[in-house]
Amino acid sequence: TIFATRSTMEPGQKLFPVALSGYEGDDDWVLAPGQALYDACLREEGIIYAEQLRTVSEAITLSEMERDIIDRSKAQIIAPLKNGTNMYGIVLIGAAYSAEEYSVDDLEFVSLLGGIAGSGVDRILARLEFDRDTEQLKRRDFFHNRILEAARECSGLRNLDELYDVLIRNLTEHFHVDSYSLVLLNPATQEYSIFAGNRISPESIEKFRLRTTSELAGMVSNFTRVFEVNDFRANGEITACYTNDDLGIMKHYWVVPLIYQNWLVG
C-alpha cells in the first residue's frame, strides 16, 4: 500500500491510499501528523517493522483506523518516503510471494528506495520553485519594461486626454486591469479629484475629493510603486469618496502615485 498526498507535494500533508495491491482498502483511510503511525515514520530512521507498532506501549498507541490499516494490509514492513524531516509518503509492504522472510539486503533496498523517493521529490519541488521564481522574474521584468515604455510615451504628450488614453491602453492591454480611475491634483483647491474612470458611478466621481494633507496622499507621495491599501473599507478617507454601491463591488484598492519633480500630481 502506498499512502501519499492527493494534492500538492509538501511535507506535513495528510496522506491517503493512492495505490494498493492484494486486498481491498478503504477510501476513508488517512494518515496525518499527530497520529502514531505517521509520527513513528517521521521520527524513525529506515524501515519500521509493523509488529513494533502493533505492540501497545506508552510511546506508541495505534488508533482503531491505524490498526485496521496494518491488519487488513497484512503489513510486515513500513517504509517512509522521506528525505531528512521532509516526508511525502508511507509504503506498507506485506509478505513476500515466496513466503520467505525478507533478507537484510531486501530491507536495506526498501530503506534506500524510501530515501531515494524522498530526495527525488525534494529535487522536483526545488525545480518547480525555481521555475516559479524564474516566471515571476520574467513577469516583473516585463512589467518594469512596460512601465518604462509607458513613461516614455507620456513624456511627449501635450494634453490630459492623450495622457488618459495612453494610461488606459497600458492598464487594459498589458496589465489587464478591469477597473480604474485617473485622479489628478487641482492646484487651485489643493484637492485630488477623478479626471476619468470606468466602472464607477457619476455620484462617486462627483463625491471624490482628497486633500493634499490627507494621510492617503502622504502615504503614497514619497516614491512611485504600487501601494495596496489593505482593509480599505475601514479607511475613512476612502469611504468618504465613494458611494456604498461602488464600495460594495470593489475587491482591491491599489494606488499608483504619479510623481513629477517631487510633486504628487495624481
Side-chain angles (χ1 to χ4, degrees):
T1 313
I2 300 177
F3 280 82
T5 177
R6 288 176 178 169
S7 53
T8 56
M9 291 186 298
E10 294 180 4
Q13 297 285 306
K14 292 181 179 180
L15 306 178
F16 303 89
V18 296
L20 56 85
S21 177
Y23 73 102
E24 292 293 328
D26 194 330
D27 290 337
D28 293 334
W29 283 348
V30 58
L31 298 177
Q35 295 175 341
L37 176 54
Y38 186 104
D39 289 351
C41 289
L42 188 60
R43 181 175 62 249
E44 301 294 335
E45 295 295 330
I47 60 101
I48 299 173
Y49 291 98
E51 193 59 37
Q52 292 177 249
L53 297 179
R54 287 193 180 95
T55 304
V56 178
S57 67
E58 292 183 3
I60 300 177
T61 303
L62 295 176
S63 66
E64 183 178 342
M65 181 191 65
E66 293 171 298
R67 191 173 293 277
D68 185 40
I69 291 172
I70 294 177
D71 290 343
R72 286 170 61 183
S73 66
K74 296 182 173 58
Q76 291 190 3
I77 299 169
I78 300 172
L81 307 179
K82 68 178 182 177
N83 184 27
T85 58
N86 295 335
M87 187 166 71
Y88 304 102
I90 296 173
V91 180
L92 288 80
I93 303 173
Y97 282 120
S98 63
E100 296 179 1
E101 294 292 329
Y102 289 111
S103 67
V104 174
D105 288 342
D106 293 331
L107 300 179
E108 185 176 355
F109 172 78
V110 172
S111 180
L112 288 173
L113 187 64
I116 291 171
S119 62
V121 173
D122 274 346
R123 286 195 297 273
I124 292 172
L125 292 177
R127 179 65 192 185
L128 291 173
E129 184 176 359
F130 173 79
D131 290 342
R132 283 195 299 268
D133 290 345
T134 302
E135 186 62 30
Q136 289 174 358
L137 284 172
K138 289 180 180 177
R139 283 173 55 82
R140 283 198 292 268
D141 185 57
F142 169 78
F143 290 142
H144 180 71
N145 288 333
R146 286 308 313 166
I147 290 172
L148 290 178
E149 289 180 23
R152 283 193 290 268
E153 278 188 89
C154 292
S155 65
L157 301 178
R158 292 293 178 266
N159 60 66
L160 287 176
D161 288 327
E162 291 179 351
L163 171 66
Y164 182 72
D165 290 340
V166 169
L167 289 176
I168 298 316
R169 187 177 72 250
N170 278 275
L171 286 174
T172 55
E173 292 182 5
H174 301 297
F175 300 100
H176 308 292
V177 174
D178 181 60
S179 176
Y180 48 81
S181 299
L182 176 59
V183 176
L184 297 176
L185 172 65
N186 184 335
T189 62
Q190 288 295 291
E191 287 182 333
Y192 298 93
S193 59
I194 295 178
F195 172 76
N198 77 330
R199 299 203 173 210
I200 183 170
S201 67
E203 291 81 6
S204 288
I205 293 178
E206 182 64 29
K207 189 177 183 182
F208 191 100
R209 292 292 183 274
L210 196 65
R211 297 289 300 173
T212 56
T213 55
S214 67
E215 290 186 8
L216 183 62
M219 182 183 75
V220 303
S221 63
N222 293 324
F223 53 91
T224 299
R225 70 175 179 86
V226 178
F227 291 85
E228 180 174 6
V229 183
N230 296 316
D231 299 325
F232 63 90
R233 291 189 181 88
N235 186 308
E237 290 180 345
I238 294 176
T239 55
C241 289
Y242 298 95
T243 65
N244 290 333
D245 290 340
D246 284 340
L247 285 170
I249 62 174
M250 293 181 184
K251 295 181 180 179
H252 307 280
Y253 200 89
W254 293 313
V255 181
V256 181
L258 305 178
I259 299 174
Y260 179 69
Q261 294 185 352
N262 295 326
W263 285 91
L264 181 66
V265 297

